[in-house]
């Protein structure tokens, strides 16, 4: 079950955490690249700025977001997302908000710690046997002494 993107003027991160939209700064800019006559007239791209420090997110999310090694996160703790994939401003706005939502959700997931395992006796024996066999094959390629 996926959460709705926007619910009552808030961006929902989880069932308990929602970001008010007034904390997210959205501005329309002109898109880059080819696009004919329309690209120079219409500001269809969206520039999203989100200040992590002043966000009101729980401490858990804030610490993990600031610890991210992501090029979208500035040194000041501001996440900058530029959405210009679509032709309309509304779709680009939705795309930018969705990308912010997925970025914040990604830091909430904790990976399980890996448990180191030992190779089995059988696999160790097979490995050594293959090495011995390979050595014997190479030994047979040597010059023969008479």
């Amino acid at each position: 079950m996926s959460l709705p993107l926007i619910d009552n003027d808030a961006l929902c991160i989880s069932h308990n955490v929602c970001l008010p939209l007034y904390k997210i700064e959205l501005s329309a800019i002109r898109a880059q690249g080819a696009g004919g006559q329309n690209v120079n007239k219409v500001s269809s791209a969206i520039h999203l700025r989100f200040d992590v420090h002043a966000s009101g997110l729980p401490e858990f999310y804030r610490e993990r977001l600031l610890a991210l090694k992501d090029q979208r996160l500035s040194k000041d703790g501001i996440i900058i997302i530029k959405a210009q994939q679509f032709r309309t401003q509304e779709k680009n706005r939705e795309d930018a908000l969705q990308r912010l939502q997925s970025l914040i959700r990604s830091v909430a997931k904790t990976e399980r710690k890996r448990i180191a395992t030992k190779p089995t006796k059988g696999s160790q024996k097979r490995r050594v046997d293959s090495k011995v066999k390979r050595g014997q094959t190479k030994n047979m390629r040597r010059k023969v002494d008479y």
Side-chain angles (χ1 to χ4, degrees):
M1 182 181 111
S2 65
L3 288 168
L5 182 63
I6 300 173
D7 183 39
N8 297 334
D9 296 326
L11 181 70
C12 293
I13 307 302
S14 68
H15 291 291
N16 302 331
V17 180
C18 282
L19 272 175
L21 287 182
Y22 68 86
K23 299 263 186 180
I24 302 168
E25 182 185 324
L26 293 166
S27 55
I29 56 173
R30 279 188 263 176
Q32 293 176 321
Q37 298 169 347
N38 202 43
V39 76
N40 298 323
K41 296 187 296 183
V42 180
S43 298
S44 60
I46 293 290
H47 200 253
L48 179 145
R49 294 174 61 85
F50 176 68
D51 189 357
V52 177
H53 295 293
S55 64
L57 279 172
E59 192 66 29
F60 167 78
Y61 285 99
R62 259 186 284 157
E63 285 176 1
R64 287 180 162 224
L65 276 172
L66 294 171
L68 270 180
K69 299 280 188 248
D70 197 316
Q71 65 186 15
R72 296 172 289 187
L73 182 69
S74 70
K75 292 176 184 170
D76 304 327
I78 296 173
I79 296 173
I80 300 168
I81 295 174
K82 186 175 180 185
Q84 59 181 9
Q85 184 178 356
F86 301 101
R87 285 178 61 98
T88 63
Q89 196 178 94
E90 292 80 27
K91 281 189 176 181
N92 282 328
R93 179 180 181 272
E94 194 174 305
D95 181 45
L97 289 171
Q98 205 165 20
R99 283 165 45 193
L100 176 66
Q101 182 186 47
S102 64
L103 179 69
I104 297 172
R105 281 183 182 175
S106 71
V107 297
K109 295 176 187 164
T110 55
E111 292 185 17
R112 286 190 292 170
K113 192 166 182 164
R114 184 187 175 277
I115 300 169
T117 58
K118 292 181 181 178
T120 61
K121 294 276 187 197
S123 68
Q124 287 177 353
K125 187 175 182 341
R126 284 190 297 274
R127 179 178 160 273
V128 172
D129 288 346
S130 70
K131 287 170 79 73
V132 168
K133 186 177 177 187
R134 182 81 177 139
Q136 288 171 347
T137 304
K138 287 185 171 188
N139 201 15
M140 296 296 284
R141 293 182 189 155
R142 288 187 183 166
K143 289 184 180 178
V144 180
D145 292 331
Y146 292 107

